[in-house]
Amino acid sequence: AGPLGAFCNVSHIVHTQAHTYTHARSRLQVAPCHVAGAVALAHPNVVGNIMHMALHEMHEIKELDLVHTRTHGPRLVLYYARVDGWVPDDNSHAFQQAAPEATTVHAEPHVEHAFVLTSSAHVAELCWSWIAPFCHTPKA
């Protein structure tokens, strides 16, 4: 079945192990909703879809689309975690140079890359503060 099939087989094993962890969550000090979310994400169908999307993006996205980035730059806000194992610091600096019209924000130290786990309300408020000016027209 190729690489995608292999990932689905591995994800099936992970999914099974994640179910095992649900029984041990009290020892792990992890909220039940986080365990349930991890189990759902480890489902073979989900992993297959993730791999398909990633493969598609790697084939389609080769370089930064500067035309659209500069056109919409004043509306773009790039929000980076200060400590991030996914996005190197060089990426934020390169994007700032390529699209100085965009706003780059480095998160407060307590906000992680996976902000939905610990800081979702805070990040939602920030996002609304950036979006609101484009949604409301001033009253005369």
Side-chain angles (χ1 to χ4, degrees):
L4 190 56
F7 279 111
C8 287
N9 289 339
V10 169
S11 73
H12 178 70
I13 294 167
V14 170
H15 184 67
T16 304
Q17 291 300 313
H19 274 295
T20 303
Y21 277 148
T22 60
H23 301 293
R25 71 177 173 246
S26 61
R27 289 181 294 148
L28 298 173
Q29 298 180 350
V30 175
C33 61
H34 294 166
V35 174
V39 169
L41 286 174
H43 190 277
N45 291 339
V46 174
V47 173
N49 288 336
I50 290 168
M51 297 308 298
H52 176 75
M53 273 185 7
L55 184 63
H56 181 266
E57 287 182 12
M58 286 185 248
H59 283 275
E60 292 291 319
I61 302 172
K62 302 290 184 192
E63 58 190 44
L64 182 60
D65 180 352
L66 289 175
V67 172
H68 287 97
T69 301
R70 289 189 176 140
T71 299
H72 301 288
R75 293 181 175 196
L76 291 178
V77 178
L78 303 160
Y79 189 69
Y80 294 97
R82 290 193 188 263
V83 177
D84 193 328
W86 291 89
V87 181
D89 288 339
D90 293 348
N91 285 20
S92 68
H93 300 302
F95 199 97
Q96 279 179 297
Q97 290 177 343
E101 308 86 4
T103 301
T104 301
V105 177
H106 292 276
E108 296 84 355
H110 71 277
V111 178
E112 303 173 19
H113 177 92
F115 65 86
V116 297
L117 298 178
T118 58
S119 305
S120 58
H122 173 71
V123 173
E125 289 175 15
L126 283 173
C127 289
W128 177 245
S129 75
W130 300 322
I131 294 169
F134 297 103
C135 296
H136 301 290
T137 55
K139 294 181 180 181

